[in-house]
Amino acid sequence: MPKERIYKGIPASQGISIGEAYLYTKKQIIINTASITEEDVPREIEEFKKAIELSQKELRKIYNIAIERIGEKNSKIFEAQLEILNDKIFIEKIIKRISEEKRSASYIFDDEINNLGSILLSSENDYIRERFEDINDVRNRVVRNMSREKLISKITENSIIVAHELTPGDTILFSRRKAQGYITDTGGINSHAAIISRALNIPAVVGVKIISQDVKPKEILIVDGSEGVVIANPNKDTLERYEEKLRKFREQEEKLYGLIGLPSITLDGKTIDLAVNINLEDEMNFVKNCKECGIGLFRTEHMFIEQGEFPSEGEQIEEYSYIAEATYPKTVTIRTYDIGGDKLLPSSEKEPNPYLGWRGIRLCLDRIEIFKEQLRAILKSSKLKNIKIMLPMVSSLEEVRCSKKIFEEVKTELDNDPQYKDIYDKNIPFGIMIEVPSAVILADELAKEVDFFSIGTNDLIQYILAVDRGNVLVADLYQEFHPAVIRTLKNVVDAAHKNNIKVSICGEMASKPLAAIVLIGLGLDELSVLPSVYTEIKQIIRSCSHTDTKNLINSILNYSTEEEIRNAVKNFYEVEIKPYIN
Ligand code: PEP
Ligand code: MG
């Protein structure tokens, strides 16, 4: 009896699937490197043109299916692939080279694609490097069509696809055959196949190295896309454990799904606004399906991380308008670029302490044109009056005053622009993130300058406790229930309320059920959480009494250790909340 085997990869799309493996192997494409004769040239060019036409037809079909399944925005990759084949100059260049160099069309096409690819591969940016796979896919499609090989996309329905690599096209086409999971040797979290799996809600684990050589066809597999684990040929105990996990996962999902539409209100009637954090456009599906939640944090960095450069004003307007429309009538808090820390531009200088370096608002105030362009794009997208603006990494009053001055200048420019002067939101709320200790100490003064606060505990905790948020060696010291953290949060909430402004939290602390109890007791007006835990946190809000959580806070503010606070919150959960969760 073959033994159970466990593989670890990158969790690319969450959820669990259990099923039979379908090994998807593509025949290696063969590039004809031999020279051709003068007489062969017209036929070679003709064949090449036909292959281009056929590839365009295939890609158009995939593009249409993709639009239907994952929406226009998520399908852009296919549009980009089509653009390569529609590029007349590119195609003409290849035709010219075939007749001049007397080499096969596949050889010249491969060479030209390699030229394009080497530019991408030399990028320091992971996202850009992963785009190499997308043009590789175009190469394979065209070369395959030149040798008239058919793509085999008829996989067994309901299976788990195991492949060395999957193209975005494969991922879409297989989903029509009810693929239950995707596992690949290659790929990263930002590969398009990973992005598309998330948009399709199909569990996926990528980067599992040589799994496609190990797994046998029809072998039973477990894909745990949340943990990044694949188990082949699971033994009876493992299978039972995962079947139970899957059953619970589905039960929980169904039960929690029932909470959508119900108010986010405590047992004693206090409304706590619940919103979500959005990092990537493909996460917008949650907002669109849920129809009731706003966006408490829209990180804009992904736009330059994806492109390796700042997006144009037009591209930004397109993105912000889409997000605002999709979220309307709820609000979207757009955060201006938070570059620096672990989110670097490919061209950024290496800094010895990037988290203490040229980050967030500091960079924007040094690059005023980029900052102005972003503010202008946000304002131009604000006609529905449901956008708020938020600055990251604020550490002084001067930064806020200076940003407001720049903001006013941009508004004045728009007041003189006939196209926008009457449609942009003149009263757009302007807020800041509280994520640096100096901003906490100045919270009272800062609150007088802005319309709202949003606490970024991911950074605030690292700066209060001097613990790098990404360093596994000190991960144990990164403590949300540290008394210094709880007391700090209390000061921020009190300063905001004393000055009659609202205070939200968008750090991941709000996405953890036990921590959410503390935040409710502290008086936060809004929790902005990961989409995947939105309903779970709503359940916590609906199962607790605000008065009781306030009493809990009054006692834990007297504790001096993390352990005492953690135990008190755990105990509160067991006694006061769990009984109300049915
Ligand atoms: C935070 O610091 O809590 C936050 C939400 O911002 P980011 O994680 O993007 O730094
Ligand atoms: Mg932050």
Side-chain angles (χ1 to χ4, degrees):
M1 199 45 199
K3 272 180 65 184
E4 166 177 302
R5 303 181 315 278
I6 301 175
Y7 303 86
K8 191 91 187 82
I10 301 167
S13 175
Q14 68 164 343
I16 296 169
S17 280
I18 304 174
E20 281 185 3
Y22 182 92
L23 274 184
Y24 174 62
T25 39
K26 269 190 199 163
K27 257 206 210 156
Q28 275 298 78
I29 55 156
I30 297 167
I31 309 284
N32 176 7
T33 53
S35 299
I36 56 171
T37 62
E38 181 77 51
E39 300 86 79
D40 285 342
V41 169
R43 194 179 37 88
E44 194 66 16
I45 292 176
E46 204 42 43
E47 291 287 304
F48 174 64
K49 285 184 179 164
K50 273 194 201 142
I52 294 288
E53 243 171 66
L54 186 54
S55 305
Q56 286 169 326
K57 213 168 124 196
E58 284 175 358
L59 271 172
R60 266 197 300 272
K61 183 176 160 204
I62 294 173
Y63 181 46
N64 289 337
I65 299 170
I67 289 181
E68 193 186 297
R69 310 214 105 201
I70 57 173
E72 202 164 328
K73 287 267 162 185
N74 287 321
S75 310
K76 285 226 153 116
I77 162 64
F78 304 110
E79 207 183 2
Q81 291 187 335
L82 264 168
E83 264 167 30
I84 299 179
L85 300 184
N86 290 340
D87 183 339
K88 288 207 172 67
I89 301 177
F90 181 65
I91 300 297
E92 282 307 318
K93 186 174 173 199
I94 292 166
I95 293 175
K96 192 158 168 262
R97 281 189 60 190
I98 297 172
S99 58
E100 278 175 9
E101 296 173 33
K102 314 263 175 322
R103 304 294 292 259
S104 74
S106 64
Y107 176 84
I108 305 280
F109 186 71
D110 178 58
D111 190 47
E112 286 294 330
I113 287 280
N114 280 343
N115 292 343
L116 279 182
S118 58
I119 301 171
L120 299 180
L121 282 177
S122 65
S123 169
E124 283 186 13
N125 180 308
D126 289 351
Y127 184 87
I128 306 254
R129 269 201 314 280
E130 281 167 20
R131 299 288 63 78
F132 173 71
E133 292 310 325
D134 302 338
I135 56 168
N136 214 6
D137 183 27
V138 175
R139 175 215 326 263
N140 294 349
R141 188 175 296 285
V142 172
V143 174
R144 200 192 57 241
N145 282 332
M146 274 190 271
S147 57
R148 301 192 188 286
E149 276 185 39
K150 275 262 83 12
L151 171 70
I152 310 138
S153 61
K154 286 259 177 296
I155 60 148
T156 317
E157 281 202 354
N158 289 310
S159 39
I160 292 175
I161 313 297
V162 183
H164 176 65
E165 67 180 6
L166 283 176
T167 66
D170 298 332
T171 319
I172 283 287
L173 289 176
F174 295 160
S175 75
R176 293 186 105 200
R177 308 279 304 168
K178 303 193 178 66
Q180 297 297 304
Y182 293 121
I183 304 166
T184 56
D185 295 342
T186 61
I189 193 99
N190 283 324
S191 60
H192 261 113
I195 295 172
I196 290 173
S197 316
R198 287 196 286 277
L200 290 166
N201 227 350
I202 296 177
V205 181
V206 300
V208 203
K209 309 242 163 60
I210 49 151
I211 191 159
S212 69
Q213 292 170 31
D214 271 13
V215 167
K216 316 273 170 308
K218 290 193 178 293
E219 195 168 29
I220 298 295
L221 294 180
I222 298 172
V223 190
D224 185 340
S226 314
E227 301 287 334
V229 170
V230 178
I231 303 171
N233 193 33
N235 64 35
K236 196 166 154 278
D237 284 355
T238 311
L239 201 56
E240 277 174 8
R241 189 157 45 84
Y242 268 92
E243 275 164 354
E244 180 62 13
K245 213 171 157 180
L246 183 58
R247 199 181 52 73
K248 282 212 177 113
F249 186 77
R250 287 196 181 138
E251 222 178 70
Q252 183 72 354
E253 252 188 354
E254 231 163 82
K255 203 167 72 186
L256 290 175
Y257 196 74
L259 291 174
I260 290 188
L262 298 180
S264 171
I265 188 167
T266 61
L267 291 174
D268 52 351
K270 178 165 191 301
T271 298
I272 315 268
D273 288 331
L274 192 57
V276 288
N277 294 348
I278 296 289
N279 304 316
L280 291 169
E281 224 185 87
D282 54 311
E283 289 171 320
M284 282 303 292
N285 284 345
F286 178 85
V287 177
K288 288 200 272 185
N289 294 337
C290 170
K291 293 194 177 79
E292 63 166 29
C293 67
I295 299 176
L297 167 64
F298 181 71
R299 291 181 170 100
T300 53
E301 301 81 63
H302 77 97
M303 301 180 74
F304 75 75
I305 292 173
E306 282 165 22
Q307 300 186 10
E309 59 184 19
F310 288 100
S312 68
E313 186 177 315
E315 284 168 328
Q316 291 185 64
I317 296 173
E318 193 188 328
E319 169 111 359
Y320 305 148
S321 303
Y322 163 70
I323 304 288
E325 271 163 38
T327 314
Y328 188 79
K330 293 286 178 181
T331 58
V332 183
T333 304
I334 298 182
R335 183 174 75 182
T336 56
Y337 296 130
D338 185 13
I339 303 165
D342 59 352
K343 294 173 281 195
L344 297 176
L345 275 176
S347 57
S348 304
E349 295 262 329
K350 288 242 175 315
E351 295 178 79
N353 287 305
Y355 278 118
L356 302 181
W358 202 45
R359 229 200 120 173
I361 193 65
R362 300 170 182 181
L363 188 144
C364 285
L365 291 178
D366 283 346
R367 292 278 183 276
I368 290 183
E369 281 318 308
I370 291 171
F371 189 36
K372 273 191 161 174
E373 186 171 66
Q374 187 173 31
L375 293 172
R376 200 161 43 238
I378 298 175
L379 284 172
K380 285 183 177 176
S381 314
S382 68
K383 67 169 191 276
L384 294 174
K385 302 198 177 2
N386 67 333
I387 293 183
K388 301 181 192 177
I389 294 183
M390 176 159 81
L391 310 177
M393 272 298 286
V394 166
S395 61
S396 72
L397 219 60
E398 289 89 326
E399 283 168 343
V400 176
R401 289 186 180 146
C402 187
S403 304
K404 277 170 67 181
K405 192 166 151 272
I406 295 169
F407 187 48
E408 288 309 315
E409 283 168 21
V410 176
K411 276 180 161 177
T412 312
E413 275 171 36
L414 283 197
D415 288 335
N416 293 315
D417 182 337
Q419 196 189 341
Y420 288 102
K421 71 176 167 68
D422 295 324
I423 60 166
Y424 85 88
D425 183 2
K426 298 196 169 39
N427 299 315
I428 196 162
F430 193 86
I432 56 169
M433 290 198 65
I434 301 289
E435 49 184 351
V436 178
S438 58
V440 176
I441 296 165
L442 294 175
D444 187 42
E445 286 98 317
L446 288 168
K448 294 182 173 56
E449 295 280 340
V450 296
D451 299 318
F452 64 93
F453 281 168
S454 182
I455 309 179
T457 39
N458 302 345
D459 278 311
L460 188 55
I461 295 173
Q462 80 164 344
Y463 294 132
I464 296 178
L465 302 180
V467 175
D468 180 342
R469 63 194 258 191
N471 183 342
V472 285
L473 292 177
V474 285
D476 283 358
L477 298 176
Y478 188 95
Q479 296 167 342
E480 279 142 0
F481 293 144
H482 192 295
V485 172
I486 305 295
R487 291 180 207 180
T488 301
L489 296 179
K490 171 91 171 64
N491 291 344
V492 179
V493 174
D494 288 352
H497 288 167
K498 188 178 138 209
N499 288 286
N500 297 317
I501 64 166
K502 290 206 169 174
V503 53
S504 157
I505 172 164
C506 58
E508 295 206 3
M509 181 173 179
S511 296
K512 302 187 180 158
L514 287 186
I517 298 169
V518 171
L519 299 169
I520 296 165
L522 282 167
L524 267 296
D525 300 295
E526 177 187 83
L527 309 185
S528 188
V529 301
L530 302 175
S532 56
V533 296
Y534 176 83
T535 44
E536 197 180 347
I537 299 298
K538 189 190 263 192
Q539 188 178 47
I540 294 285
I541 295 172
R542 291 178 54 84
S543 311
C544 70
S545 137
H546 182 235
T547 313
D548 291 349
T549 56
K550 272 201 304 197
N551 292 337
L552 168 73
I553 295 297
N554 285 339
S555 52
I556 65 178
L557 282 171
N558 295 317
Y559 296 152
S560 314
T561 65
E562 191 261 352
E563 193 185 0
E564 282 170 296
I565 297 179
R566 193 165 19 93
N567 287 340
V569 180
K570 267 191 189 157
N571 186 47
F572 182 89
Y573 173 79
E574 291 296 330
V575 178
E576 304 291 342
I577 297 202
K578 216 168 165 191
Y580 293 92
I581 294 182
N582 41 52

